[in-house]
Amino acid sequence: MKKQFRSILNEKGRKELPNILLAAAECAPLSKTGGLADVVGTLPKALKKLGFDARVITPYHRCIKNKYADRVEHMFDFYVNLGWRTQYCGIERLMLDDVCIYLVDSEFYFGDKIYRGGQAEGEQYAFFTRAVLDAIPNLGFTPDIVHCNDWHTAMLPMLAKTQYGGAMQSSLRWLLTIHNIAYQGKFGFEYVQDLLGVEDKYYTPEFMELNGCASFLKAGCVFADRINTVSPTYANEIKTAYFGEGLEGILSARSNELSGIINGIDTKVFNPYTDPALPARYHKGRLSGKKLCKLALQRDFGLEQREDAPIFAMVTRMTEQKGFDLVERMLDELMQYNDMQFFVLGSGDKDYEDFMRNAESRYKGRLCAFIGYNEELSHRVYAGADFLLMPSRFEPCGLSQMIAMRYGTLPIVRETGGLKDSVKPYNRYTGEGTGFSFADFNAHEMKDAVLLALECYHKPEVMKSLIRQAMEADFSFDRSSEEYAMLYLWML
Ligand code: ADP
């Protein structure tokens, strides 16, 4: 890929590279609730290294104001028409790591909550959509491609193509990245019509109608010039009814314009050799620090201090998607293996949280359930655990398994989406692999994969080479950014 990209770059010359504007609801480190923010925050920096001028447009959420207000420069303001309402909109500019970020300011829509939930969220992002479209001609930067992300910005291509005829917005190219197809922004059509003035003729199954609702994401899938998602396997999966959430038809019809690019992680932040959150540092050639991390984790969270007891960890949202039903079904059987320890860091559905709390009281000294979100602790868990369990029902990309491998912790994953694309399962005949995997969403298959991991744990030579192979795998964002660069070039 690198060679291919470099040769195209030489042929075209840097001047011919398209200008990119990324539009998204969140952008790390300014605002973040999930992996989307990481992609939007990291990609422009990586593209810059390749010679692109890539900028970001994102809401000016309160969390950004609180931290960056004194570094932000006011560019211009105008009024946005949203149905019968007229709302003030400011465009501010922030330079961060040499990347220009345009912030859409509205006290009315962007306060404490990045996502307001329900109908209110539809209005929040309908405002953002209209504001972006109206602001583009005045930014002093003409994008060739607008890169939209998830449903919150998926209406941009449709509105540009159907409501801005003759204006520069209608001549731009539009890329839509689907980070998770399960979230679509579905609302009553009248509501959408009221907010964005969409004509009746678009409320049909060929355009944005889906199961009696208007789907923002479907409109994006229909009108974007190109669609991609966050792993090649997920790009195939969403063309099927099981994963497609009703969009499998349009995605199959457009399968030539649909591709997958796996995300990367920030390898500077996630580096066991320099990570300030760890009680001891290590690298693939010297793993003694990892043992110290494990003992510290056991000590600090009430687990028996046993170097010979493997720690199986989960760092995750506690939702159905992440396979907690399988964990609930199998936990007691797995805990029969006396040396096994379990560490869960996560929060989410109350039932799963309660199940884990209850399990902690039943398996004192062998199971720790830390309910909550804690970035620093997550680093310590990635470093201190031996295995990371990710039995997801579906996983568009998944970052946790990549972080785990970088920290020499072997992932045990279900073969879906980005998990399948990033974890090479252990082959007992050749010794190859960077983790363990199972195919079907089935508790017994998961148990077999865990037991294989347990078996390997007791073979130090096998473990040593698996850990080395996992730590050598390349999950840097540079690899993904070159694939995005190619995609942009193909779009012109
Ligand atoms: P998703 O975006 O579906 O939640 P990913 O695996 O793509 O799943 O990304 C999850 C990210 O959030 C990872 O960086 C993971 O370490 C982090 N994370 C998830 N839950 C927690 C938690 N409770 N505390 C700290 N970090 C967490």
Side-chain angles (χ1 to χ4, degrees), residues 35 315-317 322 345-346 372-374 378 382 395 398-400 403:
V315 179
T316 181
R317 290 185 288 120
K322 298 293 178 180
L345 165 61
Y373 187 96
N374 187 320
S378 75
Y382 287 121
E395 195 66 69
L399 298 175
S400 298
I403 304 171

Side-chain angles (χ1 to χ4, degrees), residues 233 387 401 405 410-439 445 448-450 452-453 456 462 465-467 469-470 473 475:
T233 295
F387 302 100
Q401 81 280 11
M405 286 183 268
L410 302 176
I412 303 167
V413 303
R414 183 165 107 77
E415 290 158 19
T416 183
L419 298 178
K420 187 171 177 186
D421 294 335
S422 59
V423 178
K424 193 164 185 191
Y426 169 57
N427 179 328
R428 65 165 81 235
Y429 303 105
T430 63
E432 286 172 311
T434 58
F436 304 87
S437 69
F438 59 100
E445 281 198 28
D448 287 346
V450 171
L452 178 60
C456 289
V462 173
S465 64
L466 285 175
I467 291 174
Q469 282 152 208
F475 297 113

Side-chain angles (χ1 to χ4, degrees), residues 146-350:
V146 182
H147 181 165
C148 312
N149 292 277
D150 275 350
W151 76 260
H152 300 93
T153 50
M155 285 292 281
L156 284 164
M158 175 178 178
L159 297 187
K161 290 180 182 186
T162 61
Q163 298 182 352
Y164 288 76
M168 62 86 77
Q169 292 90 332
S170 66
S171 64
L172 306 176
R173 306 281 290 162
W174 304 86
L175 169 67
L176 171 66
T177 298
I178 300 173
H179 296 259
N180 190 339
I181 206 164
Y183 303 100
Q184 290 203 10
K186 286 198 246 173
F187 304 97
F189 181 66
E190 283 178 11
Y191 184 62
V192 177
Q193 194 166 40
D194 169 50
L195 291 170
L196 293 169
V198 177
E199 287 176 72
D200 285 336
K201 66 177 179 190
Y202 295 115
Y203 188 54
T204 65
E206 298 105 281
F207 293 109
M208 69 181 311
E209 191 270 337
L210 184 66
N211 302 331
C213 292
S215 159
F216 277 34
L217 193 64
K218 184 166 182 182
C221 291
V222 172
F223 284 91
D225 297 295
R226 181 97 201 189
I227 307 159
N228 89 306
T229 182
V230 287
S231 67
T233 295
Y234 194 59
N236 278 328
E237 287 173 342
I238 56 178
K239 288 184 271 184
T240 66
Y242 182 81
F243 293 95
E245 302 280 339
L247 298 185
E248 58 277 7
I250 173 70
L251 292 171
S252 301
R254 299 199 64 192
S255 81
N256 285 341
E257 290 140 332
L258 168 66
S259 51
I261 298 177
I262 196 147
N263 291 334
I265 53 174
D266 190 331
T267 46
K268 279 202 187 116
V269 173
F270 295 108
N271 181 352
Y273 193 51
T274 53
D275 192 335
L278 305 188
R281 317 271 160 80
Y282 58 95
H283 57 81
K284 68 174 193 267
R286 247 189 96 179
L287 289 169
S288 49
K290 185 163 173 63
K291 284 193 188 131
L292 295 175
C293 290
K294 175 172 179 172
L295 290 170
L297 192 69
Q298 289 172 322
R299 183 193 61 221
D300 294 346
F301 291 91
L303 296 173
E304 289 162 13
Q305 293 265 277
R306 284 181 56 187
E307 204 188 293
D308 64 325
I311 301 181
F312 290 76
M314 296 181 79
V315 179
T316 181
R317 290 185 288 120
M318 295 172 112
T319 62
E320 207 242 76
Q321 176 199 334
K322 298 293 178 180
F324 268 90
D325 292 340
L326 303 191
V327 177
E328 279 194 3
R329 170 73 187 76
M330 266 306 145
L331 189 71
D332 288 331
E333 282 188 39
L334 290 173
M335 293 307 282
Q336 300 309 313
Y337 294 83
N338 280 333
D339 55 355
M340 180 143 169
Q341 298 190 349
F342 212 89
F343 196 113
V344 182
L345 165 61
S347 61
D349 294 357
K350 195 171 170 309

